[in-house]
Amino acid sequence: MRLLKQLVPVAAVAFVGYAVAGAVAGSPPATLLAGVATAVLAVLVYARVVRWSERRVPEEVATRGAARLLVRWTLVGAALFAAVVANLALVGGYRIDGFGSLAGAAGLVGSMAAAAATEELLFRGILFRIVEERAGTWGALVLTGLLFGMSHLFNPHADLWGALAVAIEAGGMLAAAYAATRTLWVPIGLHFGWNFAAAGVFGAEVSGSGATQGLLHGTTSGPALLSGGAFGPEASVYAVAAGLLLTVAFMWLARRRGTVVAFRRGATATLTR
């Protein structure tokens, strides 16, 4: 019941926010405003329902230091995707065909902010955190990572490999980021930076969701294993490798900090030190 009490209100904010964004899709300023409003409202609703259902202060979305963490990890996420694109370009799998649209990129700030905030609140803030109490950190990481990847199968150009790639590189990495830091601002920043760099900067397709209009007109080509094919660069082996490396780094940090939760058959899990 606690899972439903938290999941339903945040999912409702996401649903309404996406509906509004779809209705104003032709207007980048309106898309920017709707996306940012959805992200902010989702965080506020999450904080409220956690406080109500768990009788605690939701420190994972504490406002103190939030801006610093968001900026820092947005830059890390963008740099990580830029490294993937650089590797693709080196083997001829990515090229720039010209400049795109500044207005289009501004609209993508809103849509990517909404996606990053709502998905992290749902998958890491609620599902991962509650499942972790019983299944432990590793069990929750695998389960929610797979659910996160499979949720992308509904995108127009999605395929099974693309969904599995997202499960490995993003589902694992973002869960590990939360496990190591115990704040949702880190995975939200990583998620936003990665997605905005993909669509808003390099003009690449994000998770098979369709063409984007960012700062650059980017084209991918070559073997699907390297370029990601119709799904976009996230289905590239370079993206999977990048996500896996960061997952390992975060889990090493979580182990060192003593924030890895052990599997328990009872209702309460303990931290392994």
Side-chain angles (χ1 to χ4, degrees):
M1 289 305 298
R2 179 162 56 100
L3 183 81
L4 290 176
K5 287 176 182 178
Q6 296 177 16
L7 198 67
V8 171
V10 177
V13 172
F15 178 80
V16 173
Y18 291 154
V20 172
V24 299
S27 171
T31 302
L32 172 62
L33 182 61
V36 172
T38 299
V40 173
L41 183 59
V43 172
L44 293 175
V45 169
Y46 171 86
R48 183 62 181 268
V49 296
V50 167
R51 189 185 294 269
W52 165 63
S53 62
E54 297 186 8
R55 301 293 190 270
R56 69 175 180 87
V57 177
E59 296 291 345
E60 63 271 25
V61 288
T63 56
R64 185 176 182 179
R68 173 177 52 83
L69 288 171
L70 281 173
V71 170
R72 176 185 301 171
W73 290 99
T74 292
L75 293 174
V76 172
L80 195 64
F81 192 84
V84 172
V85 169
N87 278 281
L88 282 174
L90 285 174
V91 296
Y94 176 86
R95 72 175 188 273
I96 297 171
D97 291 334
F99 292 104
S101 165
L102 182 60
L108 285 168
V109 170
S111 58
M112 295 307 173
T118 57
E119 289 178 12
E120 291 314 305
L121 292 169
L122 290 168
F123 283 94
R124 261 59 68 175
I126 299 173
L127 287 173
F128 175 85
R129 185 172 55 80
I130 293 177
V131 169
E132 186 187 39
E133 295 173 4
R134 294 294 295 270
T137 300
W138 284 105
L141 185 149
V142 172
L143 178 61
T144 61
L146 286 172
L147 287 174
F148 183 67
M150 293 306 106
S151 70
H152 289 74
L153 279 173
F154 297 100
N155 293 344
H157 300 155
D159 56 27
L160 183 59
W161 163 243
L164 287 173
V166 169
I168 297 167
E169 77 204 18
M173 175 182 68
L174 296 169
Y178 174 72
T181 62
R182 297 297 161 173
T183 172
L184 287 169
W185 301 121
V186 173
I188 289 174
L190 270 173
H191 195 152
F192 173 74
W194 174 281
N195 279 5
F196 182 73
V201 177
F202 296 105
E205 188 157 348
V206 178
S207 306
S209 57
T212 57
Q213 189 176 27
L215 295 174
L216 301 171
H217 281 304
T219 301
T220 55
S221 59
L225 193 62
L226 294 179
S227 68
F231 192 83
E234 285 176 310
S236 164
V237 291
Y238 295 118
V240 173
L244 275 174
L245 284 173
L246 210 55
T247 300
V248 170
F250 275 126
M251 289 308 296
W252 174 84
L253 182 60
R255 183 76 179 181
R256 184 169 183 175
R257 289 180 172 179
T259 58
V260 176
V261 178
F263 171 80
R264 292 288 298 274
R265 292 186 181 277
T268 304
T270 57
L271 295 181
T272 56
R273 296 287 179 179

